[in-house]
Amino acid sequence: MPRSFEPGSKLCNAVIMETIYEHAGGHDVLRHFIDIFYGSVLVDPLLQPLFGEGRPDHVDHLTAFEAESFGGPDDFTRDLGFAHLIDVHRGLKITEQQRQRFIELYLAAADTAGLPHDPAFREALRSHVEFGSQVAMQNSHAETDDQLHPLREVPKWTWSGG
C-alpha cells in the first residue's frame, strides 16, 4: 500500500524512503531515549568522570545531534555547529574501555526507551554510535587540529530499512 509523502522522507526511484529519524518515532521519542541514556552515564562509575555532574542542556544538544544525523531537522548545525562537538570532547582522553561502556549504555537505553527492534534499525543505531564514539575518542586525545578526526559536519546516517 503506498504511503503519503512525509517531510524528511527521501525519494528513491519514485519510492518514499523513511528516514531513521522517522522510523525511531521522531523528536520526542529520541529525546526520551537520550534522557534515559544521559541519566545512565551520569551514574556510571566509568563514564561519570567524563560527564561530571551533567549539564542541563546536554540532553537537548545530543537529541538535536542524533535527530539531524538520522535525517531529522538540522537544528544542531544551525544552533551549535560541529565545532561545538569538537570542543566539548577535546582533552577528555576517552579510553577504549569508556568508549565501549558508552556504546553498551547507549544500546541499553534504546531498549529501555522502546526504540524499534528491527535488525536494520538496530544495525543503523549500533554503527552510528560505534562511529561517533570513535570520532569522539580520537578528538579527545588531539593536541593539535591536525590530530582531530577529519569529520567537520554532522554525519548523515543511512540505513537499509525504511
Side-chain angles (χ1 to χ4, degrees):
M1 173 180 286
R3 294 181 3 195
S4 62
F5 181 75
E6 298 174 26
S9 296
K10 306 256 189 283
L11 290 177
C12 177
N13 295 328
V15 174
I16 297 172
M17 301 293 294
E18 182 179 46
T19 65
I20 300 169
Y21 174 79
E22 292 165 335
H23 190 74
H27 181 271
D28 291 345
V29 172
L30 284 177
R31 190 180 194 299
H32 177 64
F33 158 55
I34 296 303
D35 195 40
I36 291 168
F37 169 65
Y38 193 58
S40 71
V41 300
L42 291 179
V43 297
D44 185 83
L46 188 59
L47 294 179
Q48 190 279 330
L50 298 175
F51 290 88
E53 293 183 20
R55 293 190 349 244
D57 55 2
H58 200 163
V59 170
D60 290 334
H61 291 174
L62 187 52
T63 300
F65 179 83
E66 298 295 285
E68 183 171 339
S69 187
F70 292 156
D74 66 348
D75 295 344
F76 187 88
T77 296
R78 285 186 299 103
D79 296 344
L80 296 167
F82 197 79
H84 170 78
L85 200 57
I86 292 171
D87 292 343
V88 298
H89 290 105
R90 274 192 121 155
L92 289 178
K93 307 287 189 213
I94 299 168
T95 67
E96 180 60 24
Q97 185 182 16
Q98 288 170 320
R99 187 181 84 80
Q100 290 299 325
R101 182 67 178 151
F102 183 93
I103 293 166
E104 180 184 328
L105 293 179
Y106 183 93
L107 296 175
D111 290 338
T112 302
L115 292 185
H117 287 279
D118 56 283
F121 177 79
R122 287 305 174 118
E123 174 53 27
L125 206 60
R126 188 203 58 73
S127 65
H128 171 75
V129 71
E130 284 276 353
F131 176 78
S133 63
Q134 289 173 349
V135 171
M137 187 170 77
Q138 180 176 337
N139 290 345
S140 79
H141 289 273
E143 295 179 9
T144 68
D145 287 352
D146 290 342
Q147 295 172 336
L148 291 168
H149 189 280
L151 184 69
R152 294 295 185 275
E153 61 185 20
V154 174
K156 306 300 187 229
W157 222 249
T158 59
W159 69 318
S160 62

